Amino acid sequence: MIESSKRHLLKFVALLAVLAMIAAACGGDTTDTTEAEGGDTTTTTEGESGDTTTTEGEDGGDEGGEPSAGGTYAMGMTSDITTTNYWTYLGDGASGTVYAQYVNAPTVRGLYGIDLPSLAVVPDLAVAGPPPEPVEGDGGWTVTVELTPDQTWSDGSPLDANDVVFTYETSRDLGLSGTWLTMYPYADTQSPQLLSVEATNDLTVVYTFSERPGLGTWPHNVGVNAIMSDEYWGPIVEEAKGTDDPVATLYGADGVGAVSAGSLILNNYEQGAFVESVANENYGLSGQATTVFDSGGVNIDGTDYGDVSGEVIAEYTTGPFVDNVTYSIYSDQNLAVTALIEGEIDYWINPLGIGTGLREQVLNAEGITTIANPTNGMRYAAFNLNKSPFSYVEFRQALALMVDKEFLTQNVLQGVAFPMYLMVPEGNAKWFNEELAEEIKSQYVGKSTQDRLTEAVQLLKDAGFTWSGEEPSFDEELNVVRNGSGLTDPEGVAVEDIEVLAPAASYDPLRSTASLWIETWLEMLGAPATANPTDFNTLVAKAYTIDENGVGDFDMYLLGWSLGNAAFPTFHESFWHSRNSLNNNPDGNNAPQYQSEEFDAAADAIINAATEEEAFEAMSEAERLLATDLPYIVLFDTPITESFNSELNFPFTSTLSGLQFGSGFPGVVSK
Amino acid sequence: MWMFILKRLGQMVLVFYIFLALLYSLLLAQPGGLENQFVGNPDIPPEAKQELIERLGLDQPPHLQVLSYMWNVTTGDLGVSWSQYPEPVASVLWDALPRTLYLFLLATILAYVVGFVSGKLVAWRRDTMTEKVVLTSSIFLWTVFYPWFALLMLWFFGVQLGWFPLGKFITVEKWLSAPYDADSVFLLMMGSAVAAAVAYLGAWYLIRRNTQDWDTRRTRSRWAAAGIAVVFAAFWAVNPRGEWALDIVWHSVIPVVTLTLVAYASTTLLTRTSMIETVKEDYILTARAKGVPDKTIRDRHASRNALLPVVTSLVLALATVIGGGVITESIFSWPGIGLELLRAITLEDVPLAMGALSFIAVLSLLAHLVADILYAVLDPRIRVQG
């Protein structure tokens, strides 16, 4: 009986196995096809391992030539997106992540755009030519912009001045804050305030400002802001207005399938797995011919923007040339790199690039091109200007002399970082003042430790500093610095132990290491110091908290900034203007509380400049003041290293902050 | 029994509210204000900032904030995710839950079944090559550095052999044209698995009531299992979501095997130890003296008693799998509760992180309750003492 049952059971199991195999075979067809498709990507790999490069500025991959049409541009991301809705992406809250930007940015257009890599302001929806100048009128200052005719949304509906008005009015009427408020300064507390946006006809839009807008407002921000479709979003906005929380209702709308003005249409989103965008056949810039010059200018369809006197570094036509773009989500970096090497993705897009630990893998992989680009950021040491000894500019200058950035970056940090002397990074060629940088650099570079120490000690002596113990000196025989001791400030107060706050090594080993060397340099001067690697949030909270007297509870700290809009940097005002000093504005970014009328004037002049030349001059002046007053000592930054499938054709790969800065350039890349 | 359960439930509720209070207090104790994430933009007018602070309830004194949070959780309001605004936290977690449950339930149950059987066998076959091999491999797997092992599995089966995909839970190219979303397929998979499990438990209960003979009962149980498997397979064979479910299953092989191997090791070792203790009991000696066959002593006398600590371990493991998946889900790019928690922490999405932790706390407490009840059922002495 039992034997019989066993036989039956065996037969049944065999039947189940057959059924399972049939089921697997049915499912397997699709799977095989998938593998074959994925395999196509890697079967014809171009470039040998020798093609890979990490030389800064050297381009990799196939550039130029006629782009081939079609195919999938497969990107990998190490985080899911937070929203598919562009309203939400620019809104307040934490939805504006860089990954949301990668996916959403290629779906929108503004009246003007920022060309990469030149960083020139170029027309997008507006007619060819530079942005119009503001004109003073009865109701304020107006800017009248003509739109290019026959522009359409991805569904073929007309894209015109009414959409521009709709976008502004929605921001204002719903009180959208976050980046919307920066892009459209509609609030009456803002200066200049954007009073109105009106369409005088379908192709003419008039902006009215309360005051003359500087470049920081027009065309940057207002002119480059994304335009949303009235026809598509209008009913959603109207419905939202009827609810208890209109903003939440608008932000909650799904952006998948929304009409697009950009090169891509957001087509499909499977949470946690992938996003897919498809090419916009109605993209208005398709076929546009662009020539980029190394002098920073660009020629678009025969019109010059900026200085075009230099050599041509790229010539390309705008696409899109791929059928669709996929963004696969890998939550582990190792997995993303493996997927890249295995040909599963063409490019791993992420804001930090490929870290040192993973770089070796991509450099040794065939068919992978690796590039390095400068970034739009800086890491710095900031000081509490309300506390001795950093309240004395001579002490800050003495420390700046002791901080040997070349030694720090090349010897200590083994070349993974590059030294900086201006707040504007060198990679931002448009705004970087090379002459000024060389001038400042010459005050430090090439000096021996002995020279630096001698100068620093002299500076301190001249300011009235004394040493109750040993004065710092250099032992020429042993070639070592004999640390000073008992440094006393000009008021006769002994300098107490200086706490050098820096992020912990787990967060940023570079700044953590630098803090140890700064501790050493301070002690050379006779100032007792202790490097204190600290949790990032704790550090930020300490740096940005003031007591009832308006004084911060720190001596100095090491942090970093990503500098935002590279095409028109306004961070000088944000970081060092007295109106943003924490004692004047608790939400300000001027934690050292640097206050200088001269600097304030220069920072204001940058934002209010009517021309880029004016802004450049003002920025140079601001940089010169910062280099002398030293509320910060700018230290270094790291380049961004990225890798991609060598079959991809980018028209250029030398671009500030790398390919990720242009969201992977889906509108011009081809395979 | 009911009093026992009620008492435990009361303790659970108390512990949960203490947990919530501690969680929110820890949040408040952190440097910097919660509102800073939103009002850091200097362009936001002061009145808008104040409105935001009031909307978030951050203008209230800390103790009122704690009480308010506890009340909101009680009413099922976990707030709105800051990073996925305006998506409710509960909705975000609810979406992620099936993926986590699928992966970890499957792996945990497999690990316990395989681990229990192998632990039972090696305890019975002391000093044999089988014991040495199983023990050595179990100790290796139990002590292995899990992230390394998981990456090794991916590299070997995904890259070197190319048998399985490199992480993720679906094939991107295939799902670009999918007529269904993955969540609906996941839900159907979970639903059908639960239905199959319920059907089997029902069949097993009926067989147990109507069959006295042990061997017949076992044979009928197997037939019932086979029958349910056929229905299950047939359901998926004809269901249009079948091929999409198969893709998910294909992607889950490496994570499930990896998790199973690691969890199986500890179960094997636990079962072996428990069995070794049990076989020393007098009733086992009595059974042997009575001439009861070895297999019967092992399966019906020893292993059932050795099961007690293993069941407890299983129930507690089921609770921790929900929240313990941060590393697994990160490495295998499996978007479940663990990844949501990680993302919430990375993006400083406080409501989502707190919601996920509260969710894990509730499940852990429920698991403890189930463990207590099971213990009481399996060992009546505990009920009396409790």
Side-chain angles (χ1 to χ4, degrees):
Chain A
M1 172 71 180
I2 291 169
E3 284 305 309
S4 167
S5 295
K6 278 185 178 171
R7 276 199 300 276
H8 279 112
L9 191 66
L10 279 172
K11 283 179 188 170
F12 187 74
V13 169
L15 181 66
L16 270 185
V18 171
L19 280 173
M21 280 189 284
I22 292 168
C26 291
D29 279 344
T30 316
T31 309
D32 289 344
T33 309
T34 303
E35 279 181 351
E37 284 168 1
D40 284 345
T41 312
T42 52
T43 44
T44 51
T45 51
E46 277 180 29
E48 303 300 318
S49 54
D51 284 348
T52 59
T53 173
T54 52
T55 309
E56 192 176 322
E58 201 172 309
D59 294 344
D62 269 353
E63 294 180 26
E66 283 301 309
S68 55
T72 297
Y73 177 21
M75 290 197 234
M77 301 197 298
T78 41
S79 181
D80 201 351
I81 59 170
T82 43
T83 182
T84 55
N85 179 335
Y86 201 85
W87 295 103
T88 320
Y89 161 65
L90 280 194
D92 50 20
S95 295
T97 65
V98 70
Y99 295 100
Q101 179 200 318
Y102 294 150
V103 171
N104 285 287
T107 65
V108 294
R109 293 173 68 184
L111 292 184
Y112 293 88
I114 306 298
D115 176 72
L116 291 175
S118 69
L119 296 175
V121 177
V122 295
D124 193 336
L125 286 167
V127 293
E133 292 288 322
V135 177
E136 192 171 13
D138 293 338
W141 288 76
T142 59
V143 178
T144 304
V145 184
E146 295 295 325
L147 274 69
T148 311
D150 303 325
Q151 297 294 300
T152 62
W153 293 95
S154 53
D155 62 353
S157 58
L159 199 174
D160 56 31
N162 298 309
D163 295 307
V164 183
V165 174
F166 164 75
T167 311
Y168 165 75
E169 289 182 346
T170 300
S171 306
R172 184 197 59 196
D173 297 348
L174 267 60
L176 303 185
S177 60
T179 309
W180 283 110
L181 196 53
T182 307
M183 303 305 269
Y184 283 150
Y186 59 79
D188 53 14
T189 50
Q190 290 171 284
S191 177
Q193 183 190 1
L194 179 56
L195 298 170
S196 67
V197 179
E198 291 165 333
T200 51
N201 59 53
D202 284 351
L203 294 177
T204 308
V205 63
V206 180
Y207 293 91
T208 306
F209 296 90
S210 58
E211 295 164 38
R212 189 188 198 288
L215 287 177
T217 306
W218 176 265
H220 295 278
N221 288 346
V222 174
V224 300
N225 196 19
I227 306 303
M228 309 296 281
S229 165
D230 185 7
E231 189 172 310
Y232 182 86
W233 288 103
I236 296 169
V237 169
E238 282 310 308
E239 190 189 328
K241 284 177 178 172
T243 63
D244 292 340
D245 192 344
V247 177
T249 308
L250 174 63
Y251 285 174
D254 190 0
V256 173
V259 294
S260 162
S263 57
L264 301 177
I265 307 162
L266 218 163
N267 183 55
N268 199 347
Y269 172 43
E270 186 61 60
Q271 196 178 11
F274 68 87
V275 184
E276 185 211 17
S277 294
V278 295
N280 177 8
E281 290 175 3
N282 290 322
Y283 182 40
L285 298 183
S286 286
Q288 178 178 271
T290 305
T291 308
V292 187
F293 299 84
D294 66 359
S295 48
V298 64
N299 179 290
I300 297 174
D301 284 340
T303 307
D304 292 336
Y305 301 91
D307 179 7
V308 294
S309 60
E311 295 288 313
V312 172
I313 53 173
E315 278 183 287
Y316 64 92
T317 308
T318 301
F321 303 110
V322 291
D323 295 328
N324 62 341
V325 179
T326 56
Y327 307 82
S328 297
I329 297 155
Y330 301 88
S331 39
D332 184 80
Q333 296 189 2
N334 290 287
L335 208 56
V337 164
T338 308
L340 174 68
I341 293 168
E342 291 298 305
E344 198 169 287
I345 55 173
D346 297 316
Y347 169 51
W348 170 27
I349 188 166
N350 82 88
L352 300 176
I354 294 182
T356 318
L358 296 169
R359 214 165 288 165
E360 200 64 27
Q361 286 185 48
V362 288
L363 285 172
N364 291 330
E366 284 193 11
I368 299 293
T369 300
T370 300
I371 55 166
N373 277 295
T375 49
N376 186 33
M378 61 162 168
R379 285 172 231 197
Y380 62 90
F383 311 106
N384 189 339
L385 305 193
N386 288 325
K387 275 177 81 177
S388 176
F390 290 113
S391 52
Y392 295 94
V393 67
E394 294 84 359
F395 186 82
R396 303 196 297 270
Q397 289 170 343
L399 178 61
L401 274 165
M402 295 305 294
V403 175
D404 188 340
K405 295 177 199 171
E406 271 65 26
F407 169 78
L408 186 65
T409 52
Q410 295 308 312
N411 297 44
V412 179
L413 303 179
Q414 296 290 302
V416 298
F418 53 86
M420 291 178 71
Y421 288 91
L422 290 185
M423 306 299 174
V424 176
E426 194 171 350
N428 189 344
K430 182 173 176 180
W431 294 100
F432 181 74
N433 187 332
E434 199 169 343
E435 203 176 308
L436 179 62
E438 285 303 320
E439 185 188 319
I440 295 168
K441 198 173 167 183
S442 67
Q443 296 169 23
Y444 303 100
V445 177
K447 287 181 177 167
S448 66
T449 307
Q450 186 177 7
D451 294 341
R452 287 170 180 265
L453 186 72
T454 309
E455 268 190 59
V457 168
Q458 193 57 50
L459 265 172
L460 293 176
K461 279 182 178 175
D462 292 347
F465 279 87
T466 54
W467 290 265
S468 60
E470 290 293 315
E471 187 180 305
S473 60
F474 191 83
D475 188 328
E476 289 185 36
E477 203 171 312
L478 295 174
N479 200 29
V480 293
V481 173
R482 295 206 178 279
N483 289 1
S485 62
L487 183 69
T488 306
D489 73 16
E491 299 287 322
V493 180
V495 172
E496 291 180 3
D497 192 44
I498 294 170
E499 186 184 34
V500 185
L501 291 165
S506 56
Y507 184 86
D508 182 8
L510 305 186
R511 273 173 286 181
S512 190
T513 306
S515 70
L516 296 171
W517 280 91
I518 288 174
E519 174 195 291
T520 304
W521 287 316
L522 282 166
E523 287 182 337
M524 283 180 181
L525 293 174
T530 307
N532 187 6
T534 308
D535 168 71
F536 180 78
N537 289 329
T538 309
L539 197 166
V540 171
K542 199 162 183 178
Y544 283 81
T545 306
I546 51 173
D547 62 18
E548 60 278 5
N549 299 317
V551 179
D553 179 27
F554 68 93
D555 296 313
M556 65 174 289
Y557 62 82
L558 272 64
L559 278 176
W561 285 113
S562 179
L563 295 172
N565 184 1
F568 187 69
T570 54
F571 62 83
H572 293 85
E573 188 265 351
S574 177
F575 297 163
W576 301 290
H577 197 291
S578 60
R579 81 166 69 96
N580 288 319
S581 177
L582 287 188
N583 57 332
N584 295 327
N585 174 9
D587 299 323
N589 283 317
N590 185 357
Q593 300 196 28
Y594 174 57
Q595 314 218 15
S596 157
E597 285 180 13
E598 223 178 336
F599 178 85
D600 288 354
D604 284 335
I606 297 171
I607 292 173
N608 298 325
T611 64
E612 290 190 343
E613 289 71 26
E614 276 179 40
F616 188 83
E617 281 307 310
M619 205 175 294
S620 300
E621 179 58 20
E623 290 279 352
R624 192 171 282 113
L625 289 166
L626 291 173
T628 307
D629 293 347
L630 293 169
Y632 281 13
I633 294 177
V634 62
L635 296 171
F636 53 76
D637 203 14
T638 50
I640 181 170
T641 304
E642 298 175 293
S643 296
F644 57 87
N645 181 349
S646 301
E647 288 183 352
L648 289 181
N649 305 306
F650 289 102
F652 50 83
T653 54
S654 293
T655 179
L656 182 67
S657 294
L659 300 171
Q660 63 85 29
F661 199 53
S663 301
F665 294 102
V668 293
V669 74
S670 62
K671 275 177 92 174
Chain B
M1 185 65 174
W2 285 111
M3 279 307 292
F4 171 79
I5 294 172
L6 279 176
K7 194 175 169 185
R8 282 281 187 270
L9 268 174
Q11 288 171 347
M12 258 179 60
V13 171
L14 184 67
V15 169
F16 181 62
Y17 281 105
I18 292 172
F19 168 81
L20 285 181
L22 280 174
L23 189 64
Y24 200 89
S25 302
L26 277 173
L27 183 76
L28 289 177
Q30 285 188 113
L34 284 178
E35 72 280 11
N36 286 348
Q37 191 168 357
F38 296 97
V39 297
N41 183 351
D43 289 336
I44 299 178
E47 59 272 23
K49 287 181 186 176
Q50 190 54 36
E51 187 193 321
L52 191 64
I53 288 168
E54 284 168 18
R55 204 166 64 176
L56 292 170
L58 298 173
D59 55 333
Q60 296 177 352
H63 69 280
L64 286 182
Q65 288 186 43
V66 173
L67 288 173
S68 170
Y69 180 71
M70 285 161 73
W71 173 249
N72 286 342
V73 173
T74 308
T75 56
D77 179 9
L78 294 174
V80 174
S81 165
W82 288 355
S83 63
Q84 297 172 56
Y85 186 80
E87 186 83 359
V89 166
S91 163
V92 174
L93 295 176
W94 191 248
D95 285 347
L97 186 63
R99 299 178 208 136
T100 296
L101 283 179
Y102 167 80
L103 183 65
F104 288 95
L105 272 182
L106 188 60
T108 308
I109 290 167
L110 268 176
Y112 273 82
V113 170
V114 178
F116 182 70
V117 172
S118 68
K120 185 173 74 174
L121 289 175
V122 294
W124 206 253
R125 295 179 191 168
R126 304 292 310 277
D127 299 326
T128 61
M129 186 54 76
T130 311
E131 188 194 26
K132 285 171 186 161
V133 170
V134 172
L135 266 187
T136 310
S137 59
S138 295
I139 288 169
F140 167 76
L141 291 167
W142 192 41
T143 54
V144 73
F145 181 56
Y146 178 65
W148 172 81
F149 182 65
L151 283 171
L152 186 75
M153 291 287 284
L154 268 175
W155 171 80
F156 187 70
F157 291 104
V159 177
Q160 292 302 308
L161 298 178
W163 291 355
F164 295 102
L166 286 170
K168 303 196 297 299
F169 72 105
I170 52 176
T171 306
V172 173
E173 294 84 348
K174 179 181 173 70
W175 282 74
L176 289 178
S177 56
Y180 312 104
D181 65 277
D183 282 344
S184 70
V185 178
F186 258 115
L187 281 175
L188 192 63
M189 287 169 74
M190 294 299 294
S192 61
V194 168
V198 168
Y200 178 73
L201 282 175
W204 177 79
Y205 177 73
L206 288 173
I207 291 165
R208 193 162 175 256
R209 276 192 66 171
N210 299 315
T211 315
Q212 296 303 316
D213 178 61
W214 172 259
D215 287 329
T216 312
R217 192 188 284 178
R218 189 164 58 183
T219 307
R220 286 181 178 174
S221 294
R222 285 176 178 170
W223 274 108
I228 290 164
V230 169
V231 173
F232 187 79
F235 168 77
W236 278 107
V238 297
N239 193 301
R241 287 179 171 84
E243 68 168 295
W244 311 99
L246 201 62
D247 187 53
I248 292 172
V249 171
W250 185 53
H251 280 78
S252 66
V253 172
I254 296 283
V256 166
V257 169
T258 308
L259 278 168
T260 303
L261 282 172
V262 174
Y264 136 89
S266 63
T267 312
T268 299
L269 295 171
L270 179 65
T271 309
R272 178 181 166 275
T273 309
S274 183
M275 275 286 281
I276 287 171
E277 289 302 313
T278 309
V279 294
K280 289 177 190 165
E281 297 286 341
D282 289 346
Y283 64 86
I284 300 291
L285 190 65
T286 308
R288 279 190 169 138
K290 283 163 69 179
V292 178
D294 254 16
K295 195 169 173 247
T296 309
I297 295 172
R298 187 191 69 196
D299 292 346
R300 298 191 60 188
H301 295 258
S303 68
R304 293 183 78 186
N305 283 292
L307 191 62
L308 200 63
V310 181
V311 166
T312 312
S313 167
L314 167 66
V315 174
L316 296 182
L318 286 177
T320 54
V321 295
I322 307 298
V326 173
I327 295 173
T328 303
E329 291 182 1
S330 296
I331 292 173
F332 293 106
S333 301
W334 192 273
I337 299 272
L339 262 188
E340 285 297 348
L341 177 59
L342 181 68
R343 192 154 69 125
I345 292 166
T346 310
L347 295 175
E348 298 181 34
D349 186 343
V350 175
L352 184 55
M354 291 187 62
L357 290 171
S358 304
F359 197 69
I360 292 163
V362 168
L363 288 169
S364 300
L365 287 167
L366 280 175
H368 275 85
L369 179 73
V370 172
D372 284 345
I373 294 169
L374 271 177
Y375 241 98
V377 169
L378 294 170
D379 187 348
R381 288 169 300 177
I382 293 168
R383 191 176 4 169
V384 173
Q385 287 162 8

